[in-house]
Amino acid sequence: MTRLLYPPTTMHLVPARVGDAIDEIDTPALLLDLDAFEKNLQKMADFTALRNIRLRPHAKTHRCPAIALQQVAMGASGVCCQTVGEAEVLVHSGIADILVTNQLLDNRKLIRLAALAKTARIALCFDSYEQIAHASRAACELAVEMCGLVEIDVGMGRGGVTPNEAPGLATAIVRAPGLRFSGIQAYQGRAQHLPLHVDRERAIAQAANHVRATKFALQRAGLGCGTVSGGGTGTFRMETQSGQWTELQCGSYIFMDGEYSAVKDEKDLPYTEFQQSLFVLATVVSATRPGGAVLNAGLKSYSTEKGLPTIYDRNDIQFVSASDEHGTLAISPETRLLPGMRLKIVPSHCDPTVNLHDTFVCIRNDRVEALWPIAARGASH
Amino acid sequence: MTRLLYPPTTMHLVPARVGDAIDEIDTPALLLDLDAFEKNLQKMADFTALRNIRLRPHAKTHRCPAIALQQVAMGASGVCCQTVGEAEVLVHSGIADILVTNQLLDNRKLIRLAALAKTARIALCFDSYEQIAHASRAACELAVEMCGLVEIDVGMGRGGVTPNEAPGLATAIVRAPGLRFSGIQAYQGRAQHLPLHVDRERAIAQAANHVRATKFALQRAGLGCGTVSGGGTGTFRMETQSGQWTELQCGSYIFMDGEYSAVKDEKDLPYTEFQQSLFVLATVVSATRPGGAVLNAGLKSYSTEKGLPTIYDRNDIQFVSASDEHGTLAISPETRLLPGMRLKIVPSHCDPTVNLHDTFVCIRNDRVEALWPIAARGASH
């Protein structure tokens, strides 16, 4: 029935060329402001270098080898991944140390992960005995060793076990051929965007208590706990200060987003640890009525589950709604937006926004300096 | 600073092979139930064939040449696209008639579109004189003709002009070298998901009045109005019955989604015109506490801006939250979900969900029958 002429695979239109002026970029495009991005990279690298804590940034935020390699070059001990697909892309790009901050059960996925352990240090998380048995089998089949962390629930209420359940799982990892017990995964994802500093402090203090209790339980079982991995962009100073964590998993610090800009610091001022470096560049395509305008970027260019995006540095323009390929704006009476004008959108949530695009268009001084493939975009399985 | 070994471009992991059993598919994966999909295709094809109205399905829903070609083979007069990137992928796959239901202003985009007019019939929408001038220039530069529709606002409040403004724009199209005036674009997007049948009827009656007024205004200016394009999955019977439209632009009818399942018919019963054919297949990866479980599919596998998804045919399981790569579930006391179990997710909004994936894994009788590339995924610029 179909008249398919040839099987087309996804076509990657790159929205710009290196050297283009910002006005020459095809829109919508995902922009990365290199000056802001590099300041963010440097600030976190300096913070961890000066303290007794490692940095293992989360690559789910960027899914981009060019960024992961810079993070490692600046001192990160490796990266976190959320999926095997991400780990494959990053190991094949030269990243030598990966922690999959996730449970895996599927044998084919575990075999793929074990295959990566031939060239890189691979760790993954467990919260059930069945996962340990499956991972051990895959490691043995490929004659490799993978590191295992017990994931504890430190208040996020997603995966993870209680402190008292950790020694049993840790012992199972120790005994499992092909696996090496290397510590615990203790990430409090719910704390990251709590607006009040005092609420984040309370959540991380509670998480630290869970970590302490887990270490104590492991110690009683005669088990050391080398790695305690966790922390995020909204709370990394708190995990560090507690002294309970050995490595930080921050991801969003390189980009920032609307959700983080709603977070407040200890003086109840906006959280300005890091600068906004990620934008979606869009063009006004229609402006047929006063007070309104339509942008050529919608739900396929930025995610909105954390709220509508904002327009960078323009308080006179508000998002009213977003449809598949359009953003509808309300503008102040004194503002005029003509078709053809370009605006920089600040996404409300960076990770799923990045995952909609194939390329970071990297900008410095209003010129395209680089194009970085988001090579692990869509690598969710 | 970077140690980039080679420039990796996006890696497309295909989550299944033709012939696989459904349990062998890597998750998360985008499933298309071919029996349901084909019934939906047939129902709309029959509906339009029996009435004096053409079908021009919207390809923004699927971004997939294999599906567009089937729609045309079953009688559609062509397809709608929302972006030039989509039009490029589809023309290069053999689609000969494209309407871009959108305004374009950027010269490079217009040149790309005009280049397609060398091999296909290309139409686009206008709501400003400037757009007409730019499109005319691009058509002349490539010595092609493109068709132009005046977009009128029929109550959606996005782009589009009033009926009285239409003749001026239509005249400008008539006079513009390289353009041919071919009618009006009159789509009421806001009406599609109004839950009550009577509210959708009222919205489409009002839209029909705008169409009537526009045709009258064009007639007074001595202009015919060949095409009136519009209509969607929630209202297509109403546009057809009014007699004012010449072609329907329905997109979602092939897949359906949670948003459409909330729509009611004239008897105030759920809207069952079409069957749910689109699912995200996911696996339970963690279930450490009673009453809950965690799926390995989150915001990068389905969109949630229209609400959380649901689990197909399982009222005993509810979505509680979705994060980047996880879905957190609440389950009834009598239900047990073990890690490794697979569930079929019904997305709340089909178009942006499809755009997250690279491949439709097409299923019949619980076997993979085909893999269809979502070749225009990400082709938003």
Side-chain angles (χ1 to χ4, degrees), chain B residues 27-351:
Chain B
T27 62
L30 188 69
L31 297 192
L32 185 62
D33 177 323
L34 286 176
D35 286 338
F37 166 76
E38 288 170 3
K39 274 187 198 135
N40 294 343
L41 275 186
Q42 193 65 54
K43 185 165 187 179
M44 187 63 87
D46 291 347
F47 175 86
T48 49
L50 287 170
R51 289 161 183 88
N52 190 22
I53 197 157
R54 289 194 304 272
L55 177 62
R56 180 185 290 279
H58 216 306
K60 78 185 177 77
T61 302
H62 53 71
R63 291 188 154 189
C64 172
I67 294 179
L69 289 162
Q70 284 179 68
Q71 290 174 317
V72 169
M74 290 175 74
S77 59
V79 300
C80 298
C81 288
Q82 199 73 293
T83 71
V84 175
E86 289 172 354
E88 285 173 326
V89 171
L90 291 169
V91 168
H92 298 153
S93 305
I95 299 292
D97 190 333
I98 303 260
L99 164 61
V100 178
T101 56
N102 219 339
Q103 287 75 39
L104 294 170
L105 204 77
D106 180 85
N107 286 323
R108 196 156 43 217
K109 281 212 175 87
L110 285 162
I111 288 287
R112 283 163 56 199
L113 191 67
L116 298 178
K118 298 240 174 195
T119 50
R121 182 187 176 276
I122 299 291
L124 73 166
C125 298
F126 298 110
D127 65 10
S128 85
Y129 291 92
E130 205 183 354
Q131 294 152 6
I132 295 168
H134 284 235
S136 170
R137 204 181 314 140
C140 290
E141 195 172 324
L142 271 81
V144 295
E145 187 177 73
M146 296 195 286
C147 299
L149 276 70
V150 174
E151 179 161 350
I152 60 167
D153 179 7
V154 291
M156 184 159 63
R158 196 168 69 189
V161 298
T162 62
N164 288 335
E165 292 168 315
L169 287 165
T171 303
I173 298 171
V174 168
R175 290 183 185 154
L179 299 183
R180 172 190 293 266
F181 173 63
S182 64
I184 59 176
Q185 161 78 1
Y187 175 60
Q188 191 5 329
R190 274 200 197 164
Q192 301 308 315
H193 298 99
L194 293 174
L196 295 184
H197 188 264
V198 62
D199 289 338
R200 297 201 301 288
E201 274 195 331
R202 196 174 298 127
I204 300 307
Q206 190 195 33
N209 285 339
H210 280 79
V211 171
R212 223 174 269 117
T214 306
K215 284 184 188 169
F216 186 63
L218 288 169
Q219 203 176 9
R220 275 191 308 187
L223 294 158
C225 177
T227 295
V228 181
S229 198
T233 298
T235 63
F236 69 98
R237 287 181 185 273
M238 301 166 189
E239 279 93 348
T240 304
Q241 206 169 359
S242 78
Q244 294 300 318
W245 278 263
T246 67
E247 69 179 23
L248 295 176
Q249 301 184 348
C250 309
S252 307
Y253 74 99
I254 56 174
F255 298 143
M256 299 309 279
D257 57 25
E259 215 186 356
Y260 271 114
S261 74
V263 166
K264 300 280 193 282
D265 70 8
E266 68 273 31
K267 291 170 188 151
D268 214 31
L269 295 170
Y271 193 67
T272 53
E273 287 271 14
F274 303 101
Q275 301 181 12
Q276 188 66 39
S277 68
L278 187 80
F279 305 93
V280 174
L281 186 68
T283 304
V284 176
V285 284
S286 174
T288 56
R289 61 182 65 73
V294 181
L295 286 178
N296 67 346
L299 302 172
K300 294 180 186 173
S301 300
Y302 46 79
S303 77
T304 63
E305 83 287 339
K306 301 292 184 187
L308 287 167
T310 56
I311 304 294
Y312 183 65
D313 214 14
R314 292 293 297 256
N315 292 324
D316 55 333
I317 310 175
Q318 307 287 325
F319 258 84
V320 176
S321 65
S323 51
D324 288 349
E325 290 87 1
H326 293 97
T328 303
L329 306 176
I331 55 183
S332 309
E334 62 274 16
T335 297
R336 229 176 139 206
L337 287 182
L338 295 175
M341 285 182 176
R342 283 148 176 258
L343 295 171
K344 280 162 76 177
I345 296 170
V346 177
S348 56
H349 190 183
C350 55
D351 301 29

Side-chain angles (χ1 to χ4, degrees), chain A residues 1-15 17 20 23-29 38 41 60-61 63 65-66 69-70 72-74 82-86 88-89 91-96 101-106 108-109 112 127-128 130-131 153 157-161 165 283-289 294 296 299-301 304-306 322-326 328 338-342 349 351-352 355-358 372-381, chain B residues 1-15 17 20 23-29 38 41 60-61 63 65-66 69-70 72-74 82-86 88-89 91-96 101-106 108-109 112 127-128 130-131 153 157-161 165 283-289 294 296 299-301 304-306 322-326 328 339-342 349 351-352 355-358 372-381:
Chain A
M1 181 205 287
T2 64
R3 309 182 288 126
L4 198 60
L5 302 184
Y6 62 95
T9 51
T10 310
M11 183 159 115
H12 294 297
L13 297 168
V14 177
R17 283 181 296 194
D20 277 357
D23 286 341
E24 294 177 287
I25 298 168
D26 287 339
T27 62
E38 288 171 4
L41 274 187
K60 78 186 176 78
T61 302
R63 291 189 152 187
L69 288 163
Q70 285 179 69
V72 169
M74 290 175 74
Q82 199 74 292
T83 71
V84 175
E86 289 172 354
E88 286 173 325
V89 171
V91 168
H92 298 154
S93 306
I95 299 293
T101 56
N102 219 338
Q103 288 75 39
L104 294 170
L105 204 78
D106 181 84
R108 195 156 44 218
K109 281 212 175 87
R112 283 163 55 198
D127 66 9
S128 85
E130 206 185 354
Q131 293 154 4
D153 180 8
R158 196 168 67 189
V161 297
E165 292 169 316
T283 304
V284 177
V285 286
S286 174
T288 55
R289 60 183 65 75
V294 181
N296 67 345
L299 302 171
K300 294 179 185 173
S301 300
T304 63
E305 82 287 339
K306 302 290 184 189
S323 52
D324 288 348
E325 291 87 1
H326 293 96
T328 303
L338 295 176
M341 285 182 176
R342 282 149 177 257
H349 190 185
D351 301 30
N355 186 54
L356 295 167
H357 297 264
D358 295 302
W372 291 343
I374 304 169
R377 187 217 64 75
S380 296
H381 55 80
Chain B
M1 177 206 288
T2 64
R3 311 182 287 125
L4 197 61
L5 303 184
Y6 63 95
T9 50
T10 310
M11 183 159 113
H12 294 295
L13 297 168
V14 177
R17 284 180 296 194
D20 278 356
D23 287 340
E24 294 177 287
I25 298 169
D26 288 338
T27 62
E38 288 170 3
L41 275 186
K60 78 185 177 77
T61 302
R63 291 188 154 189
L69 289 162
Q70 284 179 68
V72 169
M74 290 175 74
Q82 199 73 293
T83 71
V84 175
E86 289 172 354
E88 285 173 326
V89 171
V91 168
H92 298 153
S93 305
I95 299 292
T101 56
N102 219 339
Q103 287 75 39
L104 294 170
L105 204 77
D106 180 85
R108 196 156 43 217
K109 281 212 175 87
R112 283 163 56 199
D127 65 10
S128 85
E130 205 183 354
Q131 294 152 6
D153 179 7
R158 196 168 69 189
V161 298
E165 292 168 315
T283 304
V284 176
V285 284
S286 174
T288 56
R289 61 182 65 73
V294 181
N296 67 346
L299 302 172
K300 294 180 186 173
S301 300
T304 63
E305 83 287 339
K306 301 292 184 187
S323 51
D324 288 349
E325 290 87 1
H326 293 97
T328 303
M341 285 182 176
R342 283 148 176 258
H349 190 183
D351 301 29
N355 186 54
L356 295 168
H357 297 265
D358 295 303
W372 291 343
I374 303 169
R377 188 218 63 75
S380 296
H381 53 79

Side-chain angles (χ1 to χ4, degrees), chain A residues 175-233:
Chain A
R175 290 184 185 153
L179 299 183
R180 173 191 292 267
F181 173 63
S182 65
I184 59 176
Q185 161 79 0
Y187 174 61
Q188 198 352 338
R190 273 200 199 164
Q192 301 309 315
H193 299 100
L194 293 175
L196 294 185
H197 188 264
V198 63
D199 290 337
R200 297 202 301 287
E201 273 195 331
R202 195 174 299 129
I204 299 308
Q206 189 195 31
N209 285 339
H210 280 79
V211 171
R212 224 175 268 116
T214 307
K215 283 184 190 169
F216 186 63
L218 289 169
Q219 205 177 7
R220 276 189 308 184
L223 294 160
C225 178
T227 295
V228 181
S229 198
T233 297

